[in-house]
């Protein structure tokens, strides 16, 4: 490799495995892609090359948006495989007598080639590395863990081991979100308010969902029958502007009146509970109203019913009147949805079933409300 210069960083060196050098150091975010390349998975004739998947544009854009939103923590380490062209120089000086000697501090020289060749390959963190290279702040310090190996098999092995670890449960993340006050990426921030409302609906005695919602923090089984992820998904639809039931309680500056949203949710779902008392509070196996499909579909139905009720003097009465028109046409615990061709217990939590049931209920509500005028 024709060397132009070296990028020099402070680092700590240790060894793992059979004498493999492993380094820990920091780089400016934009520097990662200067020394490291992405080994894309591909097939050359009969040989498989590389190991990295293609760039996920939405994921990269989400990280860039977060990085550009202002100062924030970004402690996730990038894992690199280094070529043996790197050079480490141990630091001199006295050491504390009680130091835990597991690594040697010093400087790590990372050659930068004129010919475009790089001395590192990204094992984990390709989406983050791409995002860091595109972020407005080029100097975000990023932790890097790097091991010396040009062996593609070793790199693939580490890639598989790092990525086979199961990701955090989405339901766990959603439950934690209301407790986080720092700036969040857009995809996580979108779930924070719905999850907070879900908490209120589960904990407030005035709520028809009081202690009926299953959350990851539940220590033991109880009376909870409703999936929190289903209710959060329904509330997210209710928050979408401009024709949703809760969007009017969100201001242009991003603030929201969660108390008023909670009041509206209680009003609607209490009417649902009272309209279908035999289906309320039962397990999803015994009542499809408590099933993911039922919660999602009835949640979507909330928008047209609540918006229509706002135009009359007695909104409570109008909501209950709208739901009562549907009572005999809904098959939550028995019978058959004739228009859909499903027995009551054949309704599944797939997106296809949720969409079809939602569309059916909304169209039925529109038809029956017009006939009642």
């Amino acid at each position: 490799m024709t060397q132009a210069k070296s990028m020099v960083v402070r680092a700590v060196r240790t060894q793992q495995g059979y004498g493999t050098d492993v380094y820990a150091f920091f780089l400016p975010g934009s520097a990662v892609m200067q020394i490291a390349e992405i080994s894309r998975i591909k097939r050359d004739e009969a040989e498989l090359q590389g190991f990295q998947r293609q760039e996920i544009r939405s994921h990269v854009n989400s990280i860039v948006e977060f990085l550009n939103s202002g100062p924030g923590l970004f402690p996730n380490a990038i894992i690199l495989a280094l070529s043996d062209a790197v050079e480490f120089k141990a630091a001199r000086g006295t050491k504390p007598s009680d130091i835990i000697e597991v690594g040697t501090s010093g400087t790590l020289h990372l050659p930068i080639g004129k010919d475009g060749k790089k001395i590192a390959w990204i094992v984990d963190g390709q989406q983050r590395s791409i995002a860091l290279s595109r972020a407005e702040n080029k100097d975000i310090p990023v932790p890097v863990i790097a091991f010396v190996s040009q062996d593609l098999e070793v790199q693939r092995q580490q890639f598989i081991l790092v990525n086979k670890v199961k990701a955090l449960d989405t339901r766990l993340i959603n439950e934690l979100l209301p407790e986080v006050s720092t700036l969040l990426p857009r995809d996580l921030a979108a779930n924070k308010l719905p999850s907070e409302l879900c908490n209120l609906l589960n904990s407030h005695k005035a709520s028809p969902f009081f202690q009926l919602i299953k959350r990851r923090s539940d220590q033991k089984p109880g009376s909870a029958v409703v999936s929190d992820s289903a209710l959060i998904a329904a509330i997210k639809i209710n928050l979408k502007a401009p024709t949703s039931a809760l969007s009017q309680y969100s201001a242009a500056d991003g603030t929201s009146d969660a108390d008023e949203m909670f009041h509206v949710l209680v009003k609607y779902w209490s009417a649902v509970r009272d309209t279908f008392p035999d289906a309320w509070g039962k397990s999803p196996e015994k009542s499809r109203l408590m099933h993911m499909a039922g919660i999602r579909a009835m949640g979507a139905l909330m928008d047209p019913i609540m918006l229509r009720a706002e135009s009359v003097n007695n909104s409570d009465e109008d909501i209950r009147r709208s739901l009562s028109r549907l009572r005999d046409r809904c098959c939550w615990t028995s019978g058959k949805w004739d228009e859909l061709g499903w027995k009551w217990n054949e309704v599944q939590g797939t997106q296809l079933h949720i969409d079809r049931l939602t569309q059916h209920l909304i169209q039925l509500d529109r038809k029956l409300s017009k006939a009642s005028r």
Side-chain angles (χ1 to χ4, degrees), residues 44-279:
D44 184 6
E45 296 178 353
E47 183 180 358
L48 183 67
Q49 299 184 357
F51 50 87
Q52 286 281 11
R53 59 187 173 178
Q54 294 301 308
E55 173 186 336
I56 303 175
R57 186 171 301 175
S58 60
H59 188 188
V60 171
N61 290 342
S62 177
I63 299 172
V64 172
E65 182 181 19
F66 171 69
L67 294 171
N68 290 345
S69 62
L73 282 173
F74 196 76
N76 309 66
I78 306 294
I79 298 180
L80 301 180
L82 299 173
S83 80
D84 54 12
V86 301
E87 181 182 359
F88 180 77
K89 295 181 179 180
R92 297 178 179 179
T94 57
K95 301 176 182 177
S97 58
D98 56 349
I99 190 172
I100 300 174
E101 193 66 79
V102 293
T104 303
S105 61
T107 54
L108 181 64
H109 295 246
L110 304 164
I112 300 175
K114 286 182 178 180
D115 49 12
K117 292 183 179 179
K118 298 180 180 180
I119 49 82
W121 299 266
I122 297 174
V123 173
D124 182 58
Q126 68 148 324
Q127 315 293 344
R128 281 171 280 145
S129 299
I130 295 171
L132 286 162
S133 70
R134 298 174 184 174
E136 294 172 359
N137 184 357
K138 304 297 182 184
D139 299 320
I140 300 171
V142 177
V144 177
I145 302 296
F147 59 92
V148 177
S149 177
Q150 296 182 208
D151 189 333
L152 180 59
E153 183 177 347
V154 173
Q155 295 174 18
R156 283 178 177 161
Q157 177 194 53
Q158 291 303 310
F159 175 78
I160 292 170
L161 290 174
V162 168
N163 287 281
K164 81 168 195 158
V165 179
K166 185 178 179 182
L168 279 176
D169 190 321
T170 300
R171 290 181 58 212
L172 173 60
I173 294 174
N174 283 339
E175 189 168 359
L176 292 172
L177 284 175
E179 311 302 321
V180 177
S181 58
T182 54
L183 190 65
L184 294 165
R186 184 170 54 181
D187 56 340
L188 291 180
N191 281 9
K192 184 174 181 178
L193 178 57
S195 187
E196 183 177 352
L197 291 168
C198 185
N199 279 341
L200 288 172
L201 288 169
N202 193 45
S203 61
H204 203 292
K205 290 185 177 181
S207 165
F209 288 107
F210 179 60
Q211 295 184 348
L212 289 181
I213 303 171
K214 293 184 286 187
R215 305 238 71 178
R216 276 291 181 227
S217 60
D218 293 341
Q219 296 299 310
K220 55 184 179 180
S223 58
V225 293
V226 175
S227 166
D228 55 357
S229 57
L231 190 55
I232 287 171
I235 294 173
K236 286 178 69 175
I237 298 298
N238 299 145
L239 285 166
K240 285 188 175 181
T243 58
S244 58
L246 302 180
S247 62
Q248 61 181 307
Y249 304 109
S250 293
D253 62 1
T255 58
S256 301
D257 188 342
D259 290 339
E260 191 59 34
M261 291 179 181
F262 171 73
H263 174 72
V264 173
L265 286 164
V266 167
K267 179 188 292 189
Y268 172 75
W269 284 104
S270 293
V272 173
R273 174 198 61 192
D274 297 343
T275 302
F276 306 102
D278 294 339

